Amino acid sequence: MKAYWFSASLPRQDMRLPALDLLRFFAALMVLLYHYTASGAGNTNFPNRYNLIASTELLPGWSNVTHFGFMGVNLFFLISGFIIFASASGRTALDFAVYRWIRLFPTYWVSILFTLAMLWFFLGASLEVSAFEVAANLTMVQPYLGVTHLDPVYWTLLVELHFYILIGLALLTRQLGAYRFWLSLWLISAIGYRLVGQPFFLKYLIAPDYSAYFIAGMALCTLRTERRDPWAWLVLLGSFALACSYLPEQIAFYNFGTSTGLDWLAGSLLLALGFAALTAISLGYWNPANRPWILLLGSLTYPLYLVHHQLGRYLIDAWYGQMPGLVILLLCTALSLLFALLVHLLGDRWIAGACRHVYKHRIRPKFTHRPTPKGPAHGSLPS
């Protein structure tokens, strides 16, 4: 019993899962469609500076469906729990921290340069962003420095950082194998916070309204090797119920304060489909053959998420009324994909690739003489 709760075997990480790339890219498209067809006026984190049209005007009627696109972020967090738990297995805390940094920051920094260049192109001298604001945004923890995100989509990265820190602490204290214990404690705490606001400190550790997704993702990851583990299925059901309980507030927040019972039902169904898709991947029921184009889509997901919003919103504002809305949407999506590819090549392929090489062959050997653990072979898996 003690081994079951405190020293369980970790999920294997030696399998390529192309379906995850497809699922992540689909989540990114959901967010893109939300921003391009269902978002409000402004919505660039600078409402007093830059007045953009409401994207709901681009394709009237589309927002009835695409206003659920914000749930692509929820799906990102679910997938992240799965991926990060798998990638942490077999790594040291140092390896995990370094590879997470390499995966996130170079691409993020390039996207910030892109965003600044894009804002300057559209706004010129009216662009009001100080050097301190830019420097603070480079840290990814700008809210703690009292600085606004250059692009509102960056808020999710801070939530991810909190999650990475929790996994890093589990590795540092060698408690990753006790995942059944601390995931159960986390889920119970998240439910308690939802019901009575306790433990109050949970909100300082990680966003309570998104905890269910990380917990469920990790539980699903364990099902790869422990299909009949009743604990995993119970945690999955509890996490799903907790996630659904937050949907009315989330729908209202992203839908101009409106949230109906039908919205909640539709959102819950969409959420169930996301959970079912990741369950099918974990159990091996959905694992398409590895193809270069699938790998490319997975690689584009992170930079596409980072660059699409400001670019598309300003292009929609500039082109609105000059051509059909559907043409504008297709052009904005195509340009977002193109710039995402450029950011991927510069940030992930070149800069991050060089960092990985230096760490693996020059820095890491100085800290350990153990063989390099077999990597997750997931390529673009980390979200």
Side-chain angles (χ1 to χ4, degrees), residues 44-46 105 108-109 111-112 115 129-159 161-162 302 305-306 310:
T44 64
N45 269 3
F46 301 103
F105 277 91
Y108 173 66
W109 288 339
S111 75
I112 286 180
T115 297
V129 178
S130 68
F132 177 71
E133 287 178 300
V134 175
N137 270 266
L138 293 175
T139 68
M140 209 179 282
V141 296
Q142 47 271 19
Y144 295 141
L145 303 176
V147 174
T148 301
H149 297 295
L150 286 176
D151 191 315
V153 302
Y154 295 166
W155 74 269
T156 61
L157 302 180
L158 189 56
V159 176
L161 280 180
H162 279 246
Y302 181 41
Y305 178 78
L306 292 175
Q310 299 276 35

mmCIF file of all heavy atoms in Angstrom, residues 44-46 105 108-109 111-112 115 129-159 161-162 302 305-306 310:
data_model
loop_
_atom_site.group_PDB
_atom_site.id
_atom_site.type_symbol
_atom_site.label_atom_id
_atom_site.label_comp_id
_atom_site.label_asym_id
_atom_site.label_seq_id
_atom_site.Cartn_x
_atom_site.Cartn_y
_atom_site.Cartn_z
ATOM 1 N N THR A 44 -6.780 44.215 -26.258
ATOM 2 C CA THR A 44 -5.350 44.077 -26.536
ATOM 3 C C THR A 44 -4.514 44.407 -25.308
ATOM 4 O O THR A 44 -3.309 44.552 -25.394
ATOM 5 C CB THR A 44 -4.918 45.019 -27.671
ATOM 6 O OG1 THR A 44 -5.112 46.371 -27.233
ATOM 7 C CG2 THR A 44 -5.682 44.751 -28.939
ATOM 8 N N ASN A 45 -5.168 44.522 -24.146
ATOM 9 C CA ASN A 45 -4.547 44.919 -22.888
ATOM 10 C C ASN A 45 -4.177 46.392 -22.858
ATOM 11 O O ASN A 45 -3.556 46.857 -21.918
ATOM 12 C CB ASN A 45 -3.314 44.071 -22.562
ATOM 13 C CG ASN A 45 -3.688 42.864 -21.728
ATOM 14 O OD1 ASN A 45 -4.862 42.639 -21.450
ATOM 15 N ND2 ASN A 45 -2.713 42.098 -21.312
ATOM 16 N N PHE A 46 -4.509 47.141 -23.901
ATOM 17 C CA PHE A 46 -4.289 48.581 -23.916
ATOM 18 C C PHE A 46 -5.575 49.272 -24.367
ATOM 19 O O PHE A 46 -5.585 49.993 -25.362
ATOM 20 C CB PHE A 46 -3.134 48.958 -24.849
ATOM 21 C CG PHE A 46 -1.830 48.303 -24.482
ATOM 22 C CD1 PHE A 46 -1.357 47.220 -25.204
ATOM 23 C CD2 PHE A 46 -1.087 48.760 -23.413
ATOM 24 C CE1 PHE A 46 -0.164 46.611 -24.879
ATOM 25 C CE2 PHE A 46 0.113 48.151 -23.075
ATOM 26 C CZ PHE A 46 0.577 47.078 -23.798
ATOM 27 N N PHE A 105 11.414 29.991 -23.384
ATOM 28 C CA PHE A 105 11.853 31.378 -23.442
ATOM 29 C C PHE A 105 12.390 31.852 -24.792
ATOM 30 O O PHE A 105 12.047 32.960 -25.215
ATOM 31 C CB PHE A 105 12.863 31.659 -22.325
ATOM 32 C CG PHE A 105 12.196 31.958 -21.016
ATOM 33 C CD1 PHE A 105 11.916 30.937 -20.124
ATOM 34 C CD2 PHE A 105 11.828 33.254 -20.681
ATOM 35 C CE1 PHE A 105 11.284 31.196 -18.922
ATOM 36 C CE2 PHE A 105 11.201 33.532 -19.476
ATOM 37 C CZ PHE A 105 10.921 32.502 -18.596
ATOM 38 N N TYR A 108 9.480 32.567 -26.946
ATOM 39 C CA TYR A 108 8.724 33.659 -26.325
ATOM 40 C C TYR A 108 9.394 34.994 -26.579
ATOM 41 O O TYR A 108 8.732 35.981 -26.930
ATOM 42 C CB TYR A 108 8.609 33.376 -24.829
ATOM 43 C CG TYR A 108 7.994 34.485 -24.011
ATOM 44 C CD1 TYR A 108 6.666 34.854 -24.174
ATOM 45 C CD2 TYR A 108 8.754 35.143 -23.051
ATOM 46 C CE1 TYR A 108 6.104 35.862 -23.400
ATOM 47 C CE2 TYR A 108 8.198 36.153 -22.273
ATOM 48 C CZ TYR A 108 6.871 36.507 -22.460
ATOM 49 O OH TYR A 108 6.332 37.513 -21.699
ATOM 50 N N TRP A 109 10.706 35.060 -26.423
ATOM 51 C CA TRP A 109 11.427 36.315 -26.656
ATOM 52 C C TRP A 109 11.320 36.757 -28.116
ATOM 53 O O TRP A 109 11.129 37.935 -28.406
ATOM 54 C CB TRP A 109 12.888 36.168 -26.256
ATOM 55 C CG TRP A 109 13.092 36.103 -24.769
ATOM 56 C CD1 TRP A 109 12.228 36.545 -23.804
ATOM 57 C CD2 TRP A 109 14.213 35.566 -24.085
ATOM 58 N NE1 TRP A 109 12.753 36.320 -22.559
ATOM 59 C CE2 TRP A 109 13.971 35.714 -22.695
ATOM 60 C CE3 TRP A 109 15.407 34.962 -24.499
ATOM 61 C CZ2 TRP A 109 14.885 35.288 -21.722
ATOM 62 C CZ3 TRP A 109 16.311 34.545 -23.534
ATOM 63 C CH2 TRP A 109 16.052 34.714 -22.162
ATOM 64 N N SER A 111 8.901 36.053 -30.098
ATOM 65 C CA SER A 111 7.522 36.497 -30.317
ATOM 66 C C SER A 111 7.311 37.905 -29.768
ATOM 67 O O SER A 111 6.524 38.681 -30.329
ATOM 68 C CB SER A 111 6.539 35.524 -29.668
ATOM 69 O OG SER A 111 6.507 35.677 -28.263
ATOM 70 N N ILE A 112 7.991 38.250 -28.687
ATOM 71 C CA ILE A 112 7.885 39.613 -28.146
ATOM 72 C C ILE A 112 8.467 40.616 -29.139
ATOM 73 O O ILE A 112 7.882 41.684 -29.384
ATOM 74 C CB ILE A 112 8.599 39.711 -26.785
ATOM 75 C CG1 ILE A 112 7.752 39.021 -25.707
ATOM 76 C CG2 ILE A 112 8.852 41.177 -26.397
ATOM 77 C CD1 ILE A 112 8.356 39.058 -24.325
ATOM 78 N N THR A 115 5.954 40.989 -31.840
ATOM 79 C CA THR A 115 4.800 41.777 -31.404
ATOM 80 C C THR A 115 5.136 43.260 -31.370
ATOM 81 O O THR A 115 4.342 44.109 -31.806
ATOM 82 C CB THR A 115 4.329 41.308 -30.016
ATOM 83 O OG1 THR A 115 3.896 39.946 -30.106
ATOM 84 C CG2 THR A 115 3.180 42.162 -29.509
ATOM 85 N N VAL A 129 4.931 52.076 -25.224
ATOM 86 C CA VAL A 129 5.471 50.974 -24.458
ATOM 87 C C VAL A 129 6.886 51.345 -24.035
ATOM 88 O O VAL A 129 7.740 51.618 -24.878
ATOM 89 C CB VAL A 129 5.493 49.666 -25.280
ATOM 90 C CG1 VAL A 129 6.108 48.536 -24.460
ATOM 91 C CG2 VAL A 129 4.080 49.280 -25.705
ATOM 92 N N SER A 130 7.125 51.377 -22.743
ATOM 93 C CA SER A 130 8.426 51.783 -22.220
ATOM 94 C C SER A 130 9.417 50.630 -22.266
ATOM 95 O O SER A 130 9.036 49.459 -22.388
ATOM 96 C CB SER A 130 8.295 52.281 -20.782
ATOM 97 O OG SER A 130 7.961 51.208 -19.914
ATOM 98 N N ALA A 131 10.694 50.988 -22.144
ATOM 99 C CA ALA A 131 11.743 49.966 -22.109
ATOM 100 C C ALA A 131 11.557 49.054 -20.897
ATOM 101 O O ALA A 131 11.823 47.843 -20.965
ATOM 102 C CB ALA A 131 13.115 50.630 -22.073
ATOM 103 N N PHE A 132 11.097 49.622 -19.788
ATOM 104 C CA PHE A 132 10.874 48.804 -18.598
ATOM 105 C C PHE A 132 9.759 47.798 -18.829
ATOM 106 O O PHE A 132 9.846 46.645 -18.386
ATOM 107 C CB PHE A 132 10.529 49.697 -17.401
ATOM 108 C CG PHE A 132 10.205 48.915 -16.151
ATOM 109 C CD1 PHE A 132 11.205 48.243 -15.465
ATOM 110 C CD2 PHE A 132 8.896 48.831 -15.682
ATOM 111 C CE1 PHE A 132 10.914 47.501 -14.316
ATOM 112 C CE2 PHE A 132 8.599 48.099 -14.540
ATOM 113 C CZ PHE A 132 9.617 47.440 -13.861
ATOM 114 N N GLU A 133 8.697 48.201 -19.517
ATOM 115 C CA GLU A 133 7.601 47.278 -19.833
ATOM 116 C C GLU A 133 8.097 46.126 -20.692
ATOM 117 O O GLU A 133 7.722 44.969 -20.478
ATOM 118 C CB GLU A 133 6.469 48.016 -20.542
ATOM 119 C CG GLU A 133 5.651 48.924 -19.655
ATOM 120 C CD GLU A 133 4.572 49.656 -20.428
ATOM 121 O OE1 GLU A 133 4.912 50.407 -21.369
ATOM 122 O OE2 GLU A 133 3.375 49.464 -20.107
ATOM 123 N N VAL A 134 8.933 46.435 -21.663
ATOM 124 C CA VAL A 134 9.486 45.392 -22.520
ATOM 125 C C VAL A 134 10.368 44.454 -21.711
ATOM 126 O O VAL A 134 10.250 43.219 -21.804
ATOM 127 C CB VAL A 134 10.286 46.004 -23.682
ATOM 128 C CG1 VAL A 134 10.965 44.905 -24.498
ATOM 129 C CG2 VAL A 134 9.379 46.841 -24.573
ATOM 130 N N ALA A 135 11.264 45.027 -20.892
ATOM 131 C CA ALA A 135 12.168 44.207 -20.082
ATOM 132 C C ALA A 135 11.390 43.318 -19.121
ATOM 133 O O ALA A 135 11.718 42.136 -18.932
ATOM 134 C CB ALA A 135 13.133 45.107 -19.316
ATOM 135 N N ALA A 136 10.351 43.881 -18.509
ATOM 136 C CA ALA A 136 9.539 43.095 -17.583
ATOM 137 C C ALA A 136 8.846 41.947 -18.301
ATOM 138 O O ALA A 136 8.756 40.832 -17.779
ATOM 139 C CB ALA A 136 8.509 43.991 -16.899
ATOM 140 N N ASN A 137 8.360 42.187 -19.516
ATOM 141 C CA ASN A 137 7.692 41.133 -20.279
ATOM 142 C C ASN A 137 8.642 40.012 -20.656
ATOM 143 O O ASN A 137 8.206 38.879 -20.865
ATOM 144 C CB ASN A 137 7.034 41.719 -21.518
ATOM 145 C CG ASN A 137 5.600 42.163 -21.288
ATOM 146 O OD1 ASN A 137 4.657 41.424 -21.528
ATOM 147 N ND2 ASN A 137 5.450 43.377 -20.759
ATOM 148 N N LEU A 138 9.908 40.301 -20.782
ATOM 149 C CA LEU A 138 10.875 39.254 -21.114
ATOM 150 C C LEU A 138 10.997 38.216 -20.009
ATOM 151 O O LEU A 138 11.442 37.092 -20.250
ATOM 152 C CB LEU A 138 12.249 39.880 -21.388
ATOM 153 C CG LEU A 138 12.367 40.748 -22.641
ATOM 154 C CD1 LEU A 138 13.741 41.394 -22.704
ATOM 155 C CD2 LEU A 138 12.112 39.930 -23.904
ATOM 156 N N THR A 139 10.610 38.586 -18.778
ATOM 157 C CA THR A 139 10.722 37.661 -17.646
ATOM 158 C C THR A 139 9.590 36.650 -17.602
ATOM 159 O O THR A 139 9.688 35.634 -16.930
ATOM 160 C CB THR A 139 10.718 38.430 -16.321
ATOM 161 O OG1 THR A 139 9.421 39.015 -16.114
ATOM 162 C CG2 THR A 139 11.775 39.526 -16.322
ATOM 163 N N MET A 140 8.480 36.929 -18.244
ATOM 164 C CA MET A 140 7.270 36.118 -18.244
ATOM 165 C C MET A 140 6.500 36.234 -16.931
ATOM 166 O O MET A 140 5.442 35.626 -16.771
ATOM 167 C CB MET A 140 7.567 34.651 -18.559
ATOM 168 C CG MET A 140 6.434 33.892 -19.244
ATOM 169 S SD MET A 140 6.825 32.170 -19.638
ATOM 170 C CE MET A 140 7.830 32.372 -21.103
ATOM 171 N N VAL A 141 7.017 36.980 -15.966
ATOM 172 C CA VAL A 141 6.320 37.165 -14.682
ATOM 173 C C VAL A 141 5.975 38.635 -14.491
ATOM 174 O O VAL A 141 5.946 39.141 -13.374
ATOM 175 C CB VAL A 141 7.165 36.641 -13.497
ATOM 176 C CG1 VAL A 141 7.371 35.140 -13.608
ATOM 177 C CG2 VAL A 141 8.505 37.369 -13.412
ATOM 178 N N GLN A 142 5.685 39.329 -15.592
ATOM 179 C CA GLN A 142 5.442 40.764 -15.547
ATOM 180 C C GLN A 142 4.332 41.209 -14.593
ATOM 181 O O GLN A 142 4.448 42.295 -14.005
ATOM 182 C CB GLN A 142 5.191 41.307 -16.958
ATOM 183 C CG GLN A 142 4.229 40.544 -17.807
ATOM 184 C CD GLN A 142 4.886 39.445 -18.618
ATOM 185 O OE1 GLN A 142 5.994 39.014 -18.309
ATOM 186 N NE2 GLN A 142 4.208 38.985 -19.666
ATOM 187 N N PRO A 143 3.253 40.437 -14.387
ATOM 188 C CA PRO A 143 2.245 40.901 -13.431
ATOM 189 C C PRO A 143 2.808 41.089 -12.024
ATOM 190 O O PRO A 143 2.365 41.972 -11.279
ATOM 191 C CB PRO A 143 1.186 39.789 -13.456
ATOM 192 C CG PRO A 143 1.315 39.186 -14.815
ATOM 193 C CD PRO A 143 2.792 39.229 -15.092
ATOM 194 N N TYR A 144 3.789 40.272 -11.648
ATOM 195 C CA TYR A 144 4.405 40.416 -10.329
ATOM 196 C C TYR A 144 5.285 41.658 -10.247
ATOM 197 O O TYR A 144 5.670 42.081 -9.153
ATOM 198 C CB TYR A 144 5.239 39.180 -9.994
ATOM 199 C CG TYR A 144 4.421 37.925 -9.840
ATOM 200 C CD1 TYR A 144 4.880 36.711 -10.322
ATOM 201 C CD2 TYR A 144 3.176 37.952 -9.213
ATOM 202 C CE1 TYR A 144 4.123 35.546 -10.182
ATOM 203 C CE2 TYR A 144 2.416 36.802 -9.065
ATOM 204 C CZ TYR A 144 2.902 35.603 -9.545
ATOM 205 O OH TYR A 144 2.151 34.456 -9.407
ATOM 206 N N LEU A 145 5.595 42.226 -11.412
ATOM 207 C CA LEU A 145 6.393 43.451 -11.465
ATOM 208 C C LEU A 145 5.511 44.673 -11.697
ATOM 209 O O LEU A 145 6.016 45.767 -11.907
ATOM 210 C CB LEU A 145 7.442 43.340 -12.579
ATOM 211 C CG LEU A 145 8.402 42.145 -12.471
ATOM 212 C CD1 LEU A 145 9.325 42.096 -13.693
ATOM 213 C CD2 LEU A 145 9.225 42.229 -11.190
ATOM 214 N N GLY A 146 4.206 44.456 -11.681
ATOM 215 C CA GLY A 146 3.275 45.557 -11.879
ATOM 216 C C GLY A 146 3.183 46.039 -13.306
ATOM 217 O O GLY A 146 2.823 47.186 -13.560
ATOM 218 N N VAL A 147 3.491 45.153 -14.263
ATOM 219 C CA VAL A 147 3.522 45.524 -15.672
ATOM 220 C C VAL A 147 2.495 44.700 -16.445
ATOM 221 O O VAL A 147 2.331 43.495 -16.201
ATOM 222 C CB VAL A 147 4.931 45.300 -16.276
ATOM 223 C CG1 VAL A 147 4.934 45.533 -17.779
ATOM 224 C CG2 VAL A 147 5.945 46.225 -15.598
ATOM 225 N N THR A 148 1.826 45.335 -17.392
ATOM 226 C CA THR A 148 0.818 44.670 -18.215
ATOM 227 C C THR A 148 1.477 43.805 -19.282
ATOM 228 O O THR A 148 2.539 44.143 -19.808
ATOM 229 C CB THR A 148 -0.065 45.729 -18.915
ATOM 230 O OG1 THR A 148 -0.680 46.538 -17.917
ATOM 231 C CG2 THR A 148 -1.150 45.067 -19.750
ATOM 232 N N HIS A 149 0.852 42.684 -19.610
ATOM 233 C CA HIS A 149 1.328 41.850 -20.710
ATOM 234 C C HIS A 149 1.302 42.650 -22.016
ATOM 235 O O HIS A 149 0.331 43.363 -22.297
ATOM 236 C CB HIS A 149 0.429 40.622 -20.891
ATOM 237 C CG HIS A 149 0.401 39.691 -19.720
ATOM 238 N ND1 HIS A 149 1.509 38.991 -19.299
ATOM 239 C CD2 HIS A 149 -0.617 39.333 -18.884
ATOM 240 C CE1 HIS A 149 1.181 38.237 -18.262
ATOM 241 N NE2 HIS A 149 -0.103 38.427 -17.991
ATOM 242 N N LEU A 150 2.346 42.520 -22.835
ATOM 243 C CA LEU A 150 2.327 43.141 -24.160
ATOM 244 C C LEU A 150 1.215 42.550 -25.020
ATOM 245 O O LEU A 150 0.685 43.213 -25.905
ATOM 246 C CB LEU A 150 3.675 42.955 -24.856
ATOM 247 C CG LEU A 150 4.826 43.820 -24.345
ATOM 248 C CD1 LEU A 150 6.117 43.440 -25.062
ATOM 249 C CD2 LEU A 150 4.525 45.294 -24.551
ATOM 250 N N ASP A 151 0.894 41.318 -24.779
ATOM 251 C CA ASP A 151 -0.226 40.661 -25.449
ATOM 252 C C ASP A 151 -0.975 39.888 -24.377
ATOM 253 O O ASP A 151 -0.364 39.138 -23.608
ATOM 254 C CB ASP A 151 0.277 39.710 -26.537
ATOM 255 C CG ASP A 151 -0.837 39.197 -27.441
ATOM 256 O OD1 ASP A 151 -1.896 38.818 -26.902
ATOM 257 O OD2 ASP A 151 -0.652 39.182 -28.664
ATOM 258 N N PRO A 152 -2.299 40.059 -24.277
ATOM 259 C CA PRO A 152 -3.038 39.402 -23.190
ATOM 260 C C PRO A 152 -2.933 37.888 -23.184
ATOM 261 O O PRO A 152 -3.178 37.263 -22.149
ATOM 262 C CB PRO A 152 -4.483 39.866 -23.406
ATOM 263 C CG PRO A 152 -4.539 40.374 -24.804
ATOM 264 C CD PRO A 152 -3.180 40.906 -25.100
ATOM 265 N N VAL A 153 -2.569 37.268 -24.314
ATOM 266 C CA VAL A 153 -2.485 35.802 -24.322
ATOM 267 C C VAL A 153 -1.343 35.305 -23.440
ATOM 268 O O VAL A 153 -1.303 34.113 -23.095
ATOM 269 C CB VAL A 153 -2.309 35.253 -25.756
ATOM 270 C CG1 VAL A 153 -3.444 35.685 -26.656
ATOM 271 C CG2 VAL A 153 -0.963 35.645 -26.347
ATOM 272 N N TYR A 154 -0.432 36.185 -23.042
ATOM 273 C CA TYR A 154 0.706 35.757 -22.236
ATOM 274 C C TYR A 154 0.297 35.295 -20.841
ATOM 275 O O TYR A 154 1.099 34.671 -20.134
ATOM 276 C CB TYR A 154 1.732 36.886 -22.106
ATOM 277 C CG TYR A 154 2.401 37.314 -23.400
ATOM 278 C CD1 TYR A 154 3.130 38.499 -23.459
ATOM 279 C CD2 TYR A 154 2.313 36.552 -24.556
ATOM 280 C CE1 TYR A 154 3.744 38.913 -24.631
ATOM 281 C CE2 TYR A 154 2.914 36.959 -25.725
ATOM 282 C CZ TYR A 154 3.637 38.141 -25.766
ATOM 283 O OH TYR A 154 4.249 38.559 -26.934
ATOM 284 N N TRP A 155 -0.927 35.604 -20.415
ATOM 285 C CA TRP A 155 -1.328 35.241 -19.050
ATOM 286 C C TRP A 155 -1.226 33.728 -18.824
ATOM 287 O O TRP A 155 -0.930 33.277 -17.703
ATOM 288 C CB TRP A 155 -2.755 35.712 -18.759
ATOM 289 C CG TRP A 155 -3.848 34.922 -19.429
ATOM 290 C CD1 TRP A 155 -4.414 35.167 -20.636
ATOM 291 C CD2 TRP A 155 -4.500 33.751 -18.913
ATOM 292 N NE1 TRP A 155 -5.384 34.235 -20.927
ATOM 293 C CE2 TRP A 155 -5.467 33.352 -19.883
ATOM 294 C CE3 TRP A 155 -4.385 33.012 -17.738
ATOM 295 C CZ2 TRP A 155 -6.286 32.238 -19.713
ATOM 296 C CZ3 TRP A 155 -5.205 31.896 -17.572
ATOM 297 C CH2 TRP A 155 -6.140 31.529 -18.545
ATOM 298 N N THR A 156 -1.457 32.942 -19.858
ATOM 299 C CA THR A 156 -1.428 31.491 -19.694
ATOM 300 C C THR A 156 -0.023 30.980 -19.390
ATOM 301 O O THR A 156 0.137 29.950 -18.734
ATOM 302 C CB THR A 156 -1.950 30.792 -20.961
ATOM 303 O OG1 THR A 156 -1.108 31.122 -22.072
ATOM 304 C CG2 THR A 156 -3.371 31.229 -21.269
ATOM 305 N N LEU A 157 0.986 31.688 -19.857
ATOM 306 C CA LEU A 157 2.361 31.247 -19.639
ATOM 307 C C LEU A 157 2.726 31.309 -18.162
ATOM 308 O O LEU A 157 3.488 30.476 -17.661
ATOM 309 C CB LEU A 157 3.323 32.110 -20.458
ATOM 310 C CG LEU A 157 3.072 32.124 -21.965
ATOM 311 C CD1 LEU A 157 4.098 33.008 -22.662
ATOM 312 C CD2 LEU A 157 3.104 30.720 -22.543
ATOM 313 N N LEU A 158 2.182 32.294 -17.452
ATOM 314 C CA LEU A 158 2.446 32.398 -16.017
ATOM 315 C C LEU A 158 1.799 31.241 -15.266
ATOM 316 O O LEU A 158 2.378 30.697 -14.319
ATOM 317 C CB LEU A 158 1.927 33.743 -15.492
ATOM 318 C CG LEU A 158 2.320 34.108 -14.058
ATOM 319 C CD1 LEU A 158 3.834 34.073 -13.890
ATOM 320 C CD2 LEU A 158 1.777 35.478 -13.695
ATOM 321 N N VAL A 159 0.612 30.838 -15.700
ATOM 322 C CA VAL A 159 -0.031 29.669 -15.099
ATOM 323 C C VAL A 159 0.824 28.424 -15.340
ATOM 324 O O VAL A 159 1.028 27.607 -14.438
ATOM 325 C CB VAL A 159 -1.448 29.475 -15.682
ATOM 326 C CG1 VAL A 159 -2.089 28.203 -15.121
ATOM 327 C CG2 VAL A 159 -2.327 30.674 -15.376
ATOM 328 N N LEU A 161 4.059 28.358 -15.795
ATOM 329 C CA LEU A 161 5.260 28.452 -14.969
ATOM 330 C C LEU A 161 4.998 27.942 -13.558
ATOM 331 O O LEU A 161 5.836 27.251 -12.966
ATOM 332 C CB LEU A 161 5.760 29.894 -14.925
ATOM 333 C CG LEU A 161 6.575 30.382 -16.122
ATOM 334 C CD1 LEU A 161 6.998 31.830 -15.911
ATOM 335 C CD2 LEU A 161 7.801 29.511 -16.360
ATOM 336 N N HIS A 162 3.855 28.293 -13.004
ATOM 337 C CA HIS A 162 3.494 27.803 -11.670
ATOM 338 C C HIS A 162 3.438 26.277 -11.670
ATOM 339 O O HIS A 162 3.915 25.629 -10.724
ATOM 340 C CB HIS A 162 2.147 28.381 -11.257
ATOM 341 C CG HIS A 162 2.215 29.771 -10.731
ATOM 342 N ND1 HIS A 162 1.921 30.108 -9.430
ATOM 343 C CD2 HIS A 162 2.549 30.933 -11.326
ATOM 344 C CE1 HIS A 162 2.060 31.401 -9.242
ATOM 345 N NE2 HIS A 162 2.449 31.937 -10.395
ATOM 346 N N TYR A 302 2.831 26.496 -30.382
ATOM 347 C CA TYR A 302 3.278 27.495 -29.402
ATOM 348 C C TYR A 302 3.503 28.861 -30.040
ATOM 349 O O TYR A 302 2.938 29.871 -29.576
ATOM 350 C CB TYR A 302 4.524 26.972 -28.698
ATOM 351 C CG TYR A 302 5.102 27.878 -27.633
ATOM 352 C CD1 TYR A 302 4.286 28.563 -26.735
ATOM 353 C CD2 TYR A 302 6.490 28.026 -27.521
ATOM 354 C CE1 TYR A 302 4.837 29.379 -25.755
ATOM 355 C CE2 TYR A 302 7.044 28.832 -26.533
ATOM 356 C CZ TYR A 302 6.216 29.508 -25.661
ATOM 357 O OH TYR A 302 6.764 30.316 -24.691
ATOM 358 N N TYR A 305 0.172 30.477 -31.112
ATOM 359 C CA TYR A 305 -0.557 31.026 -29.972
ATOM 360 C C TYR A 305 0.016 32.385 -29.562
ATOM 361 O O TYR A 305 -0.733 33.310 -29.236
ATOM 362 C CB TYR A 305 -0.482 30.047 -28.797
ATOM 363 C CG TYR A 305 -1.164 30.560 -27.556
ATOM 364 C CD1 TYR A 305 -2.551 30.511 -27.430
ATOM 365 C CD2 TYR A 305 -0.425 31.098 -26.509
ATOM 366 C CE1 TYR A 305 -3.180 30.991 -26.297
ATOM 367 C CE2 TYR A 305 -1.044 31.584 -25.370
ATOM 368 C CZ TYR A 305 -2.423 31.528 -25.270
ATOM 369 O OH TYR A 305 -3.042 32.024 -24.148
ATOM 370 N N LEU A 306 1.326 32.523 -29.621
ATOM 371 C CA LEU A 306 1.963 33.755 -29.165
ATOM 372 C C LEU A 306 1.806 34.928 -30.133
ATOM 373 O O LEU A 306 1.730 36.078 -29.695
ATOM 374 C CB LEU A 306 3.463 33.503 -28.928
ATOM 375 C CG LEU A 306 3.827 32.577 -27.761
ATOM 376 C CD1 LEU A 306 5.331 32.337 -27.739
ATOM 377 C CD2 LEU A 306 3.364 33.161 -26.430
ATOM 378 N N GLN A 310 -2.438 39.812 -31.534
ATOM 379 C CA GLN A 310 -2.267 41.216 -31.893
ATOM 380 C C GLN A 310 -2.228 41.403 -33.402
ATOM 381 O O GLN A 310 -2.834 42.337 -33.941
ATOM 382 C CB GLN A 310 -0.964 41.758 -31.268
ATOM 383 C CG GLN A 310 -0.912 41.712 -29.752
ATOM 384 C CD GLN A 310 -1.579 42.918 -29.095
ATOM 385 O OE1 GLN A 310 -2.570 43.436 -29.585
ATOM 386 N NE2 GLN A 310 -1.026 43.356 -27.976
#
